[in-house]
Amino acid sequence: MNDDTIILLKECNSGCKNATNSMEQVSSYIHDVNFQDLISKYNKKHIDIGDKCHTLLNNIGKSEEDPTIMAKAFAKFSTDIKLMINDDTTKIAELMVDGCNMGIKSISKVLNQCRNASMESIHLAKSLISIEQDFMDNLLAYL
């Protein structure tokens, strides 16, 4: 497996972890059943892609990279503060849309830089971008 493949898989895996951490964090603030179902549905999709990336990395003896403790703590702290001030569905949807945008941008950037990545890793990256876009499109109804 070449370096481009490893870089792309690590980026996808990291993006999935960030997304699932965020979705699990906001879950306790959600009161709308349909919105909770939407978050759960996309959390599962992110977990599935993250698991595939994890497996591919493990198969070649490469470890996945967790977001740094500081990055996770800052993200959790800033989200908690925002939701303490305003925890309505619109605010949560807005935070999730921002996360989708960041995910789409970061995966697309690495995908464009890693032109020699394996077809399997490219397919996973494109699937993740598609999931992020679909999730964002569904979230727009809650803004």
Side-chain angles (χ1 to χ4, degrees):
M1 198 172 284
N2 64 38
D3 287 345
D4 280 359
T5 299
I6 294 165
I7 292 166
L8 185 55
L9 288 172
K10 285 185 175 188
E11 184 66 24
C12 289
N13 191 59
S14 177
C16 287
K17 284 182 180 187
N18 287 330
T20 59
N21 287 342
S22 295
M23 285 184 258
E24 289 165 7
Q25 183 182 358
V26 301
S27 190
S28 64
Y29 292 94
I30 298 173
H31 307 292
D32 180 302
V33 174
N34 292 327
F35 189 48
Q36 182 64 53
D37 290 345
L38 179 69
I39 298 292
S40 295
K41 172 184 170 183
Y42 283 95
N43 191 34
K44 183 180 178 338
K45 289 182 180 209
H46 282 82
I47 289 169
D48 290 345
I49 289 201
D51 287 347
K52 289 175 185 172
C53 292
H54 176 79
T55 299
L56 289 171
L57 287 166
N58 281 344
N59 286 346
I60 59 161
K62 297 294 181 184
S63 61
E64 57 188 288
E65 294 177 16
D66 288 329
T68 65
I69 300 252
M70 288 302 294
K72 285 170 62 174
F74 179 75
K76 180 170 178 21
F77 176 75
S78 63
T79 299
D80 282 342
I81 292 296
K82 289 173 186 173
L83 294 178
M84 279 186 206
I85 295 168
N86 179 2
D87 72 346
D88 69 5
T89 300
T90 300
K91 185 62 176 179
I92 296 168
E94 185 179 306
L95 291 171
M96 294 290 100
V97 166
D98 290 346
C100 289
N101 276 323
M102 288 190 313
I104 291 168
K105 288 191 295 187
S106 68
I107 300 298
S108 295
K109 181 179 177 182
V110 173
L111 180 61
N112 290 332
Q113 292 171 347
C114 294
R115 299 204 183 270
N116 295 319
S118 71
M119 289 309 296
E120 188 173 23
S121 64
I122 290 170
H123 175 73
L124 278 174
K126 287 181 177 181
S127 293
L128 181 54
I129 291 167
S130 178
I131 287 168
E132 291 283 332
Q133 185 66 55
D134 190 45
F135 186 29
M136 187 169 56
D137 290 345
N138 281 284
L139 287 166
L140 295 177
Y142 292 93
L143 295 180

